[in-house]
Amino acid sequence: MASANKNKIVEASAILGWALESLADIGYSDEIIEDGQTFADNALIKARTVHKTTGFCAIADDSGICVDYLGGEPGVYSARFAGIHGDDDANNKLLLSKLENVVGDGRKASYVCAAACVFPDGEEFVALGELKGHLLDGPMGEGGFGYDPLFVPQGCTESFGQMDQEKKNQISHRMLAFTQLKELMDIYFKGQGAKWLQ
């Protein structure tokens, strides 16, 4: 999987039921520039880059949170919203500051995930998952990562930060995207992909 994020690897592995290797596992340390305009663009950039470099079947995802009140921000910039990539605490604080005194429907948000796969023969697939919910006034729970402590999925009373991993994996945006991707990959495996799997 074209990611160095251990949390993403764990979630995707659990959802797919496969043992996925991270970029660190294969000794890949080059920076991948995610300059796409959409989550799908960035997921494909990562998967294509690792596939081109290694020749391996590469899976990648790009995900983030889109807040209605902010016109869809932070969107594809979710991981680096506060300026430093992967600084969850700073990202959460900045998001809360932008929503100060915003109540009700203004706190509606969607967690979005694009999952992509590129096969050795160049065949590629992308699947999208979106989970609607709302943002809390402050973080709740110690679990998850990213904006999980702030995000409560629609129909739930707990934030992702309060849920255990199994419960989160049953409803998350990543589950929605990777479940669809697995279905597409299974179709491929049963067809032309069977040649290189043998």
Side-chain angles (χ1 to χ4, degrees):
M1 185 171 179
S3 177
N5 186 322
K6 293 180 180 179
N7 293 305
K8 283 190 177 186
I9 301 290
V10 169
E11 285 191 7
S13 295
I15 293 166
L16 292 171
W18 301 337
L20 298 174
E21 291 186 303
S22 69
L23 295 180
D25 291 331
I26 63 172
Y28 188 98
S29 58
D30 293 346
E31 181 182 6
I32 301 175
I33 306 299
E34 301 173 42
D35 55 1
Q37 298 299 305
T38 67
F39 293 111
D41 288 343
N42 285 335
L44 276 170
I45 286 169
K46 289 184 275 191
R48 286 170 177 164
T49 300
V50 174
H51 162 256
K52 183 177 180 180
T53 303
T54 66
F56 295 164
C57 174
I59 293 174
D61 91 324
D62 193 49
S63 56
I65 201 158
C66 301
V67 183
D68 294 9
Y69 179 79
L70 300 178
E73 290 186 350
V76 295
Y77 302 104
S78 292
R80 52 190 184 277
F81 193 37
I84 300 174
H85 194 283
D87 189 339
D88 292 348
D89 187 53
N91 289 335
N92 280 296
K93 286 178 179 176
L94 177 58
L95 183 58
L96 288 175
S97 73
K98 287 181 176 287
L99 295 176
E100 190 174 3
N101 300 321
V102 176
V103 298
D105 287 350
R107 301 190 78 86
K108 286 183 177 180
S110 296
Y111 244 145
V112 180
C113 175
C117 178
V118 178
F119 288 97
D121 63 3
E123 188 77 30
E124 55 188 36
F125 302 107
V126 182
L128 295 174
E130 179 178 359
L131 182 66
K132 296 184 180 298
H134 71 274
L135 296 169
L136 297 169
D137 295 329
M140 294 290 290
E142 301 296 326
F145 61 100
Y147 299 89
D148 286 357
L150 299 180
F151 182 79
V152 178
Q154 196 170 61
C156 296
T157 57
E158 295 177 309
S159 75
F160 267 166
Q162 294 171 296
M163 293 182 191
D164 61 39
Q165 190 67 55
E166 183 177 356
K167 184 174 181 180
K168 178 186 175 185
N169 283 349
Q170 290 174 350
I171 62 171
S172 76
H173 53 307
R174 190 162 287 111
M175 181 280 295
L176 294 170
F178 274 96
T179 298
Q180 293 177 60
L181 185 71
K182 188 174 187 297
E183 291 173 357
L184 294 170
M185 294 174 72
D186 284 344
I187 293 170
Y188 176 86
F189 288 152
K190 292 173 183 176
Q192 60 192 39
K195 300 174 185 176
W196 63 265
L197 285 173
Q198 295 173 355

